[in-house]
Amino acid sequence: MPASFQPDADPTGAELIAARPSIRMHAMDGLLIEDVPLNSIADAVGTPSWVYSATTMRARARNLRTALAETGLDISLHYAMKANDHLAIVRILRAEGLGADAVSGGELDRGLAAGIAPADIVYSGVGKSELELRRALQVDVGQINVESAEELEMLSGIAHDMGCTARIALRVNPDVDAETHAKISTGRARDKFGIPWNDVPALYARAAALPGVDPVGLATHIGSQIMSLAPFRAAYARIARLVTELRGAGHAVRSVDCGGGLGVAYRNEPAPTPTGLAGALRAAFHNLDVQLLLEPGRWLVAPAGVLLCTVVLTKRSAGTRFVVLDAAMNDLVRPAMYDAWHGIVPVSAADAARPAEQADIVGPVCETGDTFARGRALPPLARNARVAILDVGAYGSVMSSTYNARPLAAEVMVDGERWSVIRARQSTEALWQDESVPDFIA
Ligand code: LLP
């Protein structure tokens, strides 16, 4: 944690860059991601563009694996594809030994397309359709996390009908507040997720008696962008107690899926570390002889991506300086949706060196919510200046829409000195290619 962290003060651009190994400022070439100038990418591909650092993703996967390995526990990692499901990213993480956590038929197929073995896929989600469950059974995924009594009965029926057995975990709602944004908190009693922990023993017994399902353990996930270890400890302790209780009732409980949720330091704020999380896991499960699964998403990829943008124009209104970018809430929705704070840094070293003044950084979409930052200290930025919005590798491109008929931005992968477009910028025509105008209208 930076000793100088002040909760109310934003870090400077230089501080943001210094804390992120994937980027650095070059006096002539401007901001680099790994060894590639963002200017070269913008010149070739245009903006807005998502740019990812492969090295950062690998390094973070290794860092997490090492910290977990040091616990001596049996822990497997299942990348939560929802954070960023690009095939290239899933492949990078697969090469680091990770399986996948999928939450829809689409993610399941994407994971398979990226080469993840079905056995390494955990299928989660509060509302899996019958079709999706059939697909999961047909490809024989490693585990299905069941979130309700109704889903349990449905899955048992489908599996029995298909003549197979589903390995299932019951997802427990431990009634723990993850102390994160309300919209991404999932483990409180009132949240839609999981089975109330009091109901778990009876439902586990029911699962053990049903045909077509083999209960192998429990699962939980209390939320995302969790910035202290206390909620993890509280949830894991509750799950560990349930494991003991279920075993006492004669059930085999072989595994516990501990979900994701590890937060990242968007504002250089103090954040929990993989070692801290490993400690919380060890404290709860060290004497239970249970196989653990983790489903990290954000922590692995958020700091590995930037959104490269160009200033369309600047304007002053009622004393506020507005910097209007060519990226908008349709590209990166996190600030509009969760009031999320993302670092914004100039790409040009000369721009970065000028004294900062306050500005609102906004997009061109016709909503006041299309605001990336309010009252942010940034040097003056003129038309055509470029900026990078930081830490957008997770829940960035995957949450994009084409609102305001804005085509999806390009995506680029950087690996050392090499880089490549990994998704072409969508064409405008592609926006309506699947539309038709019926005869009775024409
Ligand atoms: N496992 C389950 C069952 C989940 O629902 C999630 C995230 C994860 C794992 C991965 O959590 P992570 O390690 O990434 O925190 N769009 C929001 C985040 C939504 C998270 C949803 N579930 C955002 O931009 O902050």
Side-chain angles (χ1 to χ4, degrees), residues 117-142:
D120 295 332
I121 298 180
V122 174
Y123 189 19
S124 320
V126 72
K128 309 173 199 76
S129 71
E130 192 175 325
L131 213 65
E132 288 176 316
L133 287 174
R134 278 189 189 279
R135 173 83 182 134
L137 290 170
Q138 183 206 344
V139 304
D140 197 17
V141 296

Side-chain angles (χ1 to χ4, degrees), residues 78 100-103 121-128 133 136 141-148 151-152 155 166-172 194-195 216-221 255-260 293-295:
H78 298 263
D101 161 50
V103 292
I121 298 180
V122 174
Y123 189 19
S124 320
V126 72
K128 309 173 199 76
L133 287 174
V141 296
Q143 174 174 316
I144 300 179
N145 291 349
V146 170
E147 297 215 18
S148 63
E151 185 185 20
L152 177 65
L155 179 57
R167 285 169 299 278
I168 64 158
L170 294 189
R171 174 163 171 184
V172 182
I195 296 154
V216 297
L218 300 175
T220 197
H221 170 77
S255 69
V256 174
D257 178 344
C258 293
L293 292 75
L294 269 191
E295 302 170 348

Side-chain angles (χ1 to χ4, degrees), residues 5-264:
F5 181 71
Q6 295 171 284
D8 299 325
D10 286 344
T12 64
E15 286 167 343
L16 288 166
I17 294 170
R20 285 158 182 74
S22 57
I23 52 174
R24 64 197 151 94
M25 189 58 97
H26 184 278
M28 300 303 297
D29 296 336
L31 198 62
L32 309 185
I33 182 161
E34 300 202 29
D35 299 327
V36 179
L38 285 170
N39 277 323
S40 311
I41 294 173
D43 289 344
V45 181
T47 61
S49 293
W50 307 94
V51 187
Y52 308 117
S53 157
T55 305
T56 303
M57 294 181 196
R58 290 189 199 105
R60 294 182 76 83
R62 284 173 204 177
N63 179 332
L64 186 55
R65 273 170 65 98
T66 306
L68 296 171
E70 282 165 3
T71 62
L73 301 169
D74 174 2
I75 310 179
S76 62
L77 289 173
H78 298 263
Y79 170 55
M81 290 175 57
K82 62 174 79 70
N84 192 326
D85 61 13
H86 193 290
L87 295 179
I89 291 176
V90 180
R91 271 195 180 260
I92 287 171
L93 295 173
R94 187 198 70 153
E96 294 302 321
L98 277 77
D101 161 50
V103 292
S104 68
E107 278 193 359
L108 186 57
D109 286 344
R110 257 186 183 278
L112 296 171
I116 306 269
D120 295 332
I121 298 180
V122 174
Y123 189 19
S124 320
V126 72
K128 309 173 199 76
S129 71
E130 192 175 325
L131 213 65
E132 288 176 316
L133 287 174
R134 278 189 189 279
R135 173 83 182 134
L137 290 170
Q138 183 206 344
V139 304
D140 197 17
V141 296
Q143 174 174 316
I144 300 179
N145 291 349
V146 170
E147 297 215 18
S148 63
E150 185 160 347
E151 185 185 20
L152 177 65
E153 302 293 331
M154 180 159 98
L155 179 57
S156 163
I158 296 170
H160 186 59
D161 181 49
M162 289 173 67
C164 58
T165 301
R167 285 169 299 278
I168 64 158
L170 294 189
R171 174 163 171 184
V172 182
N173 180 321
D175 193 16
V176 167
D177 188 341
E179 290 158 30
T180 182
H181 192 284
K183 288 183 186 169
I184 54 174
S185 186
T186 55
R188 301 164 300 185
R190 262 297 274 123
D191 297 329
K192 69 177 173 179
F193 299 95
I195 296 154
W197 66 288
N198 279 321
D199 298 352
V200 170
L203 205 62
Y204 208 93
R206 172 79 184 143
L210 280 173
V213 290
D214 172 21
V216 297
L218 300 175
T220 197
H221 170 77
I222 56 171
S224 193
Q225 184 56 10
I226 300 172
M227 293 303 274
S228 88
L229 291 170
F232 289 114
R233 290 202 190 98
Y236 297 165
R238 204 153 253 195
I239 303 296
R241 277 207 300 280
L242 268 176
V243 171
T244 307
E245 185 183 335
L246 291 170
R247 285 179 175 168
H251 299 295
V253 183
R254 301 198 287 276
S255 69
V256 174
D257 178 344
C258 293
L262 194 59
V264 300

Side-chain angles (χ1 to χ4, degrees), residues 48 325-331 363-365 370 401-409 426-428 431:
L325 303 180
D326 61 356
M329 66 189 288
N330 72 294
D331 302 299
V365 159
D370 184 23
S401 75
T402 58
Y403 185 40
N404 279 204
R406 294 172 46 86
L408 296 176
Q426 194 176 33
S427 70
T428 315
L431 293 175

